[in-house]
Amino acid sequence: MVVATGRMFRSVRPYLVEAGIADPVVCYQGAVVAEPESGRFLRHEPIPLALAREVIAAVQDEGVHLNCYVDDQLYVARITPEARAYASFQQLHVHEVGDLLDWLEEPPTKLVAVGEPARLDALEEKMKAHFGGRAYISKSLPFFLEFASPEVTKASGLAFVAEHLGVSRERTVAFGDGENDVELIEWAGYGIAVGNAHERVLAVADHVCPPVDEEGVASVLEAFLDSRR
């Protein structure tokens, strides 16, 4: 059982420990694959520094709050209501560092713009037009627009884990619901969207299970396990 998430490693780790999941976890939209117990990073694909600076400048020009992640820590130019809301949601400490362009000296793992959904929808369209394929750009939740290395998706993270564990692509099954799960669902041997998934995920899925409030993922897993008895 492998968890693939956009969250920071330090943010998801408590849930893995509580669930007893020791297999590698895919974090930061695939930029990091880590061992839950040791905390060791098996894979780390940060945003190249020059590209990160270009993204920061572009988002700042739009007047949108931006989170910057370095060494599994969260940094912001200044503490804003958006920063407080994000930190509270993720149960994180936020480091205020002043101007990010002046402060940043090493490639960040990812960058996240935080704002109202409609504003981020427009920003996503504009940033994708500007950067093309030079950066991975995707919504995770409606209030978060994420930027990562062009080598990064949840699919690339899962592919790394599959090779690490000696599992073929054809023998993988993936579940997803958000826009940032599209590549994951496309890559897996069998991709499953939950019923309340983003329309892009529903469009590429091999199967659609009941929505999250009906425990759709659990129903599929239980059916599979019952079929193996």
Side-chain angles (χ1 to χ4, degrees):
M1 175 68 71
V2 174
V3 172
T5 177
R7 286 177 178 247
M8 305 166 67
F9 174 64
R10 69 172 53 249
S11 175
V12 72
R13 190 179 195 182
Y15 300 101
L16 302 173
V17 172
E18 182 178 352
I21 297 176
D23 291 312
V25 57
V26 178
C27 307
Y28 289 102
Q29 309 297 359
V32 168
V33 174
E35 294 177 333
E37 294 181 345
S38 69
R40 183 167 68 100
F41 282 13
L42 304 175
R43 178 189 198 233
H44 185 206
E45 294 285 345
I47 306 173
L49 185 56
L51 176 61
R53 290 181 177 277
E54 189 179 347
V55 172
I56 291 170
V59 174
Q60 288 182 341
D61 284 346
E62 296 295 325
V64 178
H65 173 85
L66 190 67
N67 291 343
C68 181
Y69 303 80
V70 177
D71 294 331
D72 208 31
Q73 297 284 343
L74 171 58
Y75 298 91
V76 298
R78 61 187 180 87
I79 302 297
T80 64
E82 291 87 354
R84 292 191 185 94
Y86 184 91
S88 175
F89 170 70
Q90 300 273 21
Q91 300 180 13
L92 297 169
H93 176 69
V94 184
H95 304 274
E96 185 176 21
V97 297
D99 188 277
L100 288 173
L101 288 175
D102 290 339
W103 170 82
L104 189 65
E105 295 182 347
E106 60 182 286
T109 303
K110 75 171 182 177
L111 299 162
V112 177
V114 183
E116 291 299 317
R119 188 176 187 186
L120 292 186
D121 286 343
L123 181 64
E124 178 180 14
E125 184 176 344
K126 187 172 184 177
M127 293 297 101
K128 284 183 173 179
H130 177 80
F131 288 100
R134 294 191 296 124
Y136 171 77
I137 304 171
S138 180
K139 286 286 234 14
S140 51
L141 293 174
F143 297 90
F144 308 139
L145 179 62
E146 313 223 354
F147 300 81
S149 162
E151 307 300 320
V152 165
T153 63
K154 286 186 181 180
S156 69
L158 181 59
F160 179 93
V161 174
E163 182 177 359
H164 178 74
L165 298 177
V167 177
S168 69
R169 175 179 181 176
E170 291 73 22
R171 293 181 62 81
T172 61
V173 177
F175 295 86
D177 65 349
E179 183 183 347
N180 59 331
D181 292 319
V182 170
E183 295 86 358
L184 176 72
I185 298 302
E186 288 181 316
W187 185 88
Y190 195 69
I192 302 174
V194 296
N196 57 314
H198 190 281
E199 59 184 15
R200 289 186 59 203
V201 180
L202 294 170
V204 300
D206 298 302
H207 176 70
V208 178
C209 70
V212 63
D213 57 0
E214 296 178 23
E215 301 183 343
V217 174
S219 68
V220 173
L221 295 177
E222 289 169 355
F224 172 74
L225 293 174
D226 286 343
S227 72
R228 304 282 291 181
R229 293 175 181 172

